[in-house]
């Protein structure tokens, strides 16, 4: 399929290491995809679902010990430990290669190795980058076909000499103790062994499009961020674009596909989804930031997705989708998950593959991190700019975590550098997207803690440096949809009603609305959040817009500890300045 010597050499080396019985090149043709689906069904790797109700949809169950990203086994391999920084697990490249190679040696014996040429971004765009993933998993091939742009055109784009990101994946024995996801940023190489879970094995996604790409972005002067991208179409037909960073499983997919409340729809507002997870961002000739979504599909969290919370995502999963670790309803051979509806199937199989009765069982049927892999084109509100080679210009960047207290519903930073500070101090309660405890508050700067391919302090510096290159920067905001009352109840309705906050954000970008200056930045006057059609008390709104200086003083102390003891050196001076200002403001 190619004369590119580097590609051929990478495939040869992978064959020499893993010694597969066959090598199959993925050309992206429907015929090949159909044959692979049929083969995976014949071995039980995939279950074919009801083709009338869910055409071209399949179900997969991972091993029970392999259901989420494993941050403790995700490694950045750079020569110096200090360059990987405090947010990453580090190994030297020599040790990283040695460890992965010893584990993978001979592990594809008797199996087929698939070679997947894929592009992150539209082939031919200035943004796009080509990857080659070799894998022994048909599940990985079929997911990559949905999540990226796969096929011969990627090899053609490389030509005889082009460079690419090398990804080696071998399932090996799905042994947790020998599971590794290693990144070699200096070599544009990723090695993943002993896992079959999406976030660890779809190497185009977090491994390439965030960890390796963030490293490349710093070298080449652009940014790779854990951000959704959405367009807001206003009643006058104008469109504005926003990128928003939230940690995994905190509602990026829901915000990206939001359906505005009725009063907004009636007025003519619409949301268009450009992406739900990753943004690659460059400075345009006009001095604005331009963003593309390098992916081609959605790898979304299934539980909680329903007709109310996200009808667009649900619609996207009705064809050509691979479901992972959800419930199989045996009555009609469809799928179910907690929060889909109030009618769990009685005659079903749970995510572990055991018989399950949703009416009587006291265990969950779907894993909390169960997923759908759906083509972006299926989404009813996918943006007409989805395939744009230049991307979309950003009016605003939004950061947001899951915080029961302290952080108000929304606030705006004073300027770019203060916005970088606001991103750097993000904390969020952990979710099921990674292994480990759920609900624990942790620092997650820019929602990138698990995804920065180098030192977090250098990453902050890169943000500061980018600011100097943007003559017309987006405004930077922070939101918190997750404020809780004394009984743990959520104080903001969220979902479609987040449109009310988006509207304020865009009004601020347009200079249409005043704001209250507080210790942390600009906060809305309650009257400026449009509550039309919502049964919601202004007092509650006031309470979640309030900035409690005592709490923020304590927060500032905590951040000082984080900066000083965790990140240590390499914090840009601009961020220390913002921290000092915050402390001063809290005392005033
Ligand atoms: O599992 S993934 O890393 O692909 C999704 C996520 O955790 O954000
Ligand atoms: Mn994500």
């Amino acid at each position: 399929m190619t004369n590119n010597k580097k590609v051929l050499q990478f495939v040869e080396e992978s064959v020499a290491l893993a010694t597969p019985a066959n090598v199959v090149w993925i050309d992206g043709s429907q015929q090949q995809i159909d044959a692979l689906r049929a083969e995976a069904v014949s071995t039980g790797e995939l279950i074919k679902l009801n083709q009338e109700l869910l055409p071209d949809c399949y179900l997969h169950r991972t091993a029970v010990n392999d259901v989420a990203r494993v941050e403790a086994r995700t490694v950045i391999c750079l020569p110096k430990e200090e360059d990987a920084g405090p947010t990453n697990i580090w190994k030297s490249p020599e040790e990283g290669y040695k460890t992965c190679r010893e584990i993978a040696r001979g592990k594809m014996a008797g199996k087929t190795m698939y070679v997947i040429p894929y592009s992150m971004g539209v082939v031919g765009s200035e943004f796009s980058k080509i990857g080659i993933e070799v894998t022994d998993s048909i599940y990985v091939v079929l997911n990559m076909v949905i999540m990226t742009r796969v096929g011969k055109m990627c090899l053609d784009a490389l030509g005889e000499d082009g460079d690419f990101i090398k990804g080696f994946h071998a399932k090996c024995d799905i042994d947790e103790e020998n599971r590794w996801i290693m990144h070699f940023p200096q070599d544009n190489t990723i090695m993943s062994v002993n896992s079959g879970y999406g976030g660890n094995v779809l190497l185009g996604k977090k491994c390439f499009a965030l960890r390796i790409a963030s490293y490349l972005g710093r070298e080449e002067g652009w940014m790779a961020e854990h951000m959704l991208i959405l367009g807001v179409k206003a009643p006058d037909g104008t469109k504005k674009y926003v990128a928003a960073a939230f940690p995994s499983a905190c509602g990026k997919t829901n915000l990206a596909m939001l359906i505005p409340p009725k009063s907004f729809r009636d007025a003519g507002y619409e949301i268009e989804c450009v992406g739900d997870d990753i943004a690659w961002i460059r400075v345009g000739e006009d001095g604005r930031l331009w963003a593309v979504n390098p992916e081609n599909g959605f790898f979304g969290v299934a539980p909680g997705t329903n007709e109310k919370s996200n009808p667009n995502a649900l619609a996207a999963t009705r064809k050509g989708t691979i479901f992972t670790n959800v419930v199989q309803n045996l009555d009609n051979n469809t799928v179910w998950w907690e929060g889909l509806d109030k009618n769990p199937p009685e005659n079903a199989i749970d995510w572990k593959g055991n018989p399950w009765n949703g009416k009587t069982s006291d265990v969950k049927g779907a894993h909390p991190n169960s997923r759908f892999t759906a083509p972006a084109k299926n989404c009813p509100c996918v943006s007409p700019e989805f395939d744009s080679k230049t991307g979309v210009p950003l009016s605003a960047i939004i950061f947001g975590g899951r915080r029961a207290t302290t952080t108000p519903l929304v606030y705006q930073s004073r300027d770019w550098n203060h916005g970088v500070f606001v991103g750097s101090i993000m904390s969020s309660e952990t979710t099921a997207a990674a292994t480990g405890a759920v609900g624990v508050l942790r620092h997650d700067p820019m929602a990138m803690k698990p995804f920065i391919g180098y030192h977090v302090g250098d990453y902050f510096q890169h943000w500061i440096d980018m600011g100097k290159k943007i003559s017309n920067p987006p405004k930077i905001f922070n939101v918190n949809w997750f404020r809780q009352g004394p009984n743990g109840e959520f104080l903001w309705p969220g979902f479609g009603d987040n449109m009310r906050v988006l509207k304020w954000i865009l009004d601020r970008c347009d200079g249409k609305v005043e704001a209250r200056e507080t210790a942390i930045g600009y906060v809305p006057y309650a009257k400026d959040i449009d509550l039309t059609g919502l049964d919601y008390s202004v007092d509650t709104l006031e309470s979640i817009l309030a900035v409690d200086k005592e709490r923020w003083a304590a927060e500032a102390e905590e951040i000082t500890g984080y900066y000083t003891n965790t990140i240590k050196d390499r914090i840009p001076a601009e961020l220390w300045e913002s921290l000092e200002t915050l402390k001063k403001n809290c005392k005033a």
Side-chain angles (χ1 to χ4, degrees):
M1 284 227 296
T2 178
N3 296 323
N4 184 303
K5 291 205 180 60
K6 298 169 198 167
V7 174
L8 295 172
Q9 190 187 340
F10 170 57
V11 173
E12 254 170 51
E13 285 169 6
S14 302
V15 168
L17 174 63
T19 62
N22 310 299
V23 175
V24 169
W25 291 71
I26 301 301
D27 59 16
S29 67
Q30 194 56 48
Q31 204 186 357
Q32 192 182 40
I33 292 167
D34 289 342
L36 287 171
R37 284 170 168 170
E39 189 179 337
V41 168
S42 77
T43 62
E45 187 175 356
L46 290 182
I47 295 162
K48 193 172 193 168
L49 294 165
N50 184 324
Q51 295 296 297
E52 257 160 51
L53 298 173
L54 296 168
D56 294 329
C57 289
Y58 294 81
L59 169 65
H60 172 79
R61 295 187 198 106
T62 65
V64 294
N65 71 354
D66 189 28
V67 293
R69 283 184 290 102
V70 280
E71 295 183 2
R73 297 190 155 270
T74 300
V75 182
I76 300 296
C77 300
L78 287 166
K80 288 196 203 139
E81 180 165 10
E82 62 259 37
D83 289 334
T87 55
N88 286 309
I89 309 283
W90 171 84
K91 284 186 194 298
S92 71
E94 296 71 41
E95 195 194 338
Y97 281 125
K98 186 162 171 276
T99 302
C100 290
R101 283 176 185 152
E102 275 172 14
I103 292 169
R105 185 155 294 126
K107 278 292 182 339
M108 293 188 194
K111 297 189 182 186
T112 298
M113 185 175 90
Y114 301 94
V115 181
I116 314 168
Y118 67 97
S119 174
M120 299 313 288
V122 180
V123 179
S125 138
E126 194 199 337
F127 283 87
S128 113
K129 290 196 182 284
I130 305 291
I132 308 282
E133 176 167 355
V134 299
T135 176
D136 53 359
S137 159
I138 296 179
Y139 171 77
V140 167
V141 174
L142 294 174
N143 272 272
M144 287 292 284
V145 163
I146 298 171
M147 292 306 297
T148 73
R149 293 159 172 91
V150 166
K152 183 159 183 321
M153 73 287 187
C154 301
L155 293 171
D156 295 343
L158 279 183
E160 295 214 346
D161 198 43
D163 287 310
F164 57 96
I165 307 312
K166 301 179 188 119
F168 175 93
H169 167 243
K171 284 185 289 188
C172 303
D173 310 303
I174 312 292
D175 169 9
E176 283 170 279
E177 299 304 319
N178 282 302
R179 182 170 300 154
W180 293 107
I181 298 90
M182 301 229 198
H183 304 71
F184 304 85
Q186 293 178 323
D187 305 338
N188 288 329
T189 297
I190 305 150
M191 294 190 81
S192 168
V193 291
N194 275 308
S195 178
Y197 167 72
N200 301 328
V201 300
L202 307 179
L203 300 184
K205 194 172 177 59
K206 299 297 161 76
C207 299
F208 168 4
L210 287 177
R211 298 193 192 96
I212 298 285
S214 63
Y215 184 93
L216 288 172
R218 182 169 68 125
E219 288 191 335
E220 298 170 0
W222 53 282
M223 304 163 91
E225 298 297 333
H226 193 203
M227 291 178 179
L228 65 91
I229 309 166
L230 63 79
V232 181
K233 191 165 149 199
D236 65 4
T238 56
K239 286 187 194 171
K240 290 216 158 57
Y241 297 91
V242 168
F246 297 82
S248 302
C250 288
K252 281 196 300 299
T253 307
N254 292 339
L255 184 62
M257 300 176 190
L258 170 158
I259 295 186
K262 183 164 185 313
S263 61
F264 284 76
R265 292 200 306 274
D266 290 348
Y269 282 98
E270 276 174 43
I271 296 290
E272 296 174 348
C273 173
V274 182
D276 80 329
D277 196 40
I278 298 177
W280 284 2
I281 305 173
R282 287 173 184 267
V283 185
E285 275 164 23
D286 58 1
R288 291 190 290 176
L289 283 182
W290 289 71
V292 299
N293 166 16
E295 301 192 280
N296 203 23
F298 307 117
F299 186 61
V301 179
T305 306
N306 60 50
E307 260 321 322
K308 263 199 164 150
S309 66
N310 196 339
N312 284 316
L314 203 57
T317 66
R318 299 297 93 177
K319 58 177 191 236
T321 292
I322 300 173
F323 297 92
T324 303
N325 292 342
V326 300
V327 174
Q328 183 184 11
N329 179 344
L330 292 179
D331 284 336
N332 58 5
N333 194 22
T334 60
V335 287
W336 190 87
W337 49 76
E338 277 70 24
L340 174 64
D341 56 38
K342 299 208 166 72
N343 304 304
E346 291 174 65
N347 177 25
I349 303 207
D350 71 6
W351 70 272
K352 292 181 175 168
N354 299 320
W356 187 77
N357 181 335
K359 295 277 191 308
T360 58
S361 177
D362 47 16
V363 295
K364 288 199 161 125
H367 188 275
N369 193 39
S370 54
R371 299 267 170 170
F372 53 79
T373 317
K377 292 279 151 54
N378 284 3
C379 177
C381 71
V382 69
S383 167
E385 300 301 316
F386 182 79
D387 281 327
S388 159
K389 288 190 175 163
T390 51
V392 295
L394 297 180
S395 296
I397 286 177
I398 302 173
F399 295 116
R402 219 178 246 274
R403 290 294 302 267
T405 65
T406 314
T407 310
L409 177 65
V410 57
Y411 69 101
Q412 181 187 355
S413 71
R414 289 182 291 273
D415 54 30
W416 176 271
N417 285 350
H418 179 233
V420 178
F421 173 74
V422 169
S424 82
I425 66 168
M426 261 177 76
S427 294
S428 191
E429 290 146 25
T430 51
T431 68
T435 53
V438 167
V440 180
L441 189 65
R442 71 166 186 183
H443 285 278
D444 191 350
M446 283 83 169
M448 280 287 280
K449 180 194 177 292
F451 308 121
I452 305 168
Y454 57 101
H455 192 293
V456 56
D458 295 343
Y459 168 80
F460 293 161
Q461 186 64 54
H462 181 48
W463 267 83
I464 298 285
D465 294 343
M466 287 296 294
K468 296 179 186 140
K469 296 192 216 166
I470 320 165
S471 53
N472 192 356
K475 305 267 190 288
I476 301 182
F477 298 81
N478 192 91
V479 300
N480 178 18
W481 316 134
F482 299 94
R483 280 291 288 270
Q484 289 177 22
N487 304 316
E489 73 283 14
F490 286 110
L491 294 176
W492 176 249
F495 301 105
D497 288 307
N498 292 335
M499 180 70 210
R500 303 173 191 277
V501 176
L502 274 183
K503 166 84 167 35
W504 181 81
I505 286 174
L506 292 178
D507 282 349
R508 285 296 291 169
C509 294
D510 286 341
K512 281 192 195 155
V513 64
E514 296 292 310
R516 190 163 60 89
E517 188 159 5
T518 73
I520 60 173
Y522 299 103
V523 171
Y525 292 107
K527 68 171 174 53
D528 292 325
I529 303 285
D530 183 345
L531 296 178
T532 310
L534 184 65
D535 183 14
Y536 190 73
S537 104
V538 177
D539 286 349
T540 310
L541 180 59
E542 299 269 15
S543 78
I544 60 174
L545 289 176
V547 175
D548 181 332
K549 281 196 197 175
E550 252 172 58
R551 274 185 189 273
W552 273 98
E555 184 93 0
E557 285 312 315
E558 204 280 327
I559 294 160
T560 308
Y562 175 64
Y563 273 16
T564 312
N565 304 324
T566 302
I567 306 190
K568 301 198 175 111
D569 45 7
R570 304 205 198 189
I571 298 251
E574 290 83 349
L575 300 193
W576 283 117
E577 267 168 46
S578 285
L579 182 54
E580 285 314 309
T581 307
L582 174 62
K583 286 183 184 172
K584 208 175 73 218
N585 290 350
C586 289
K587 283 201 193 103

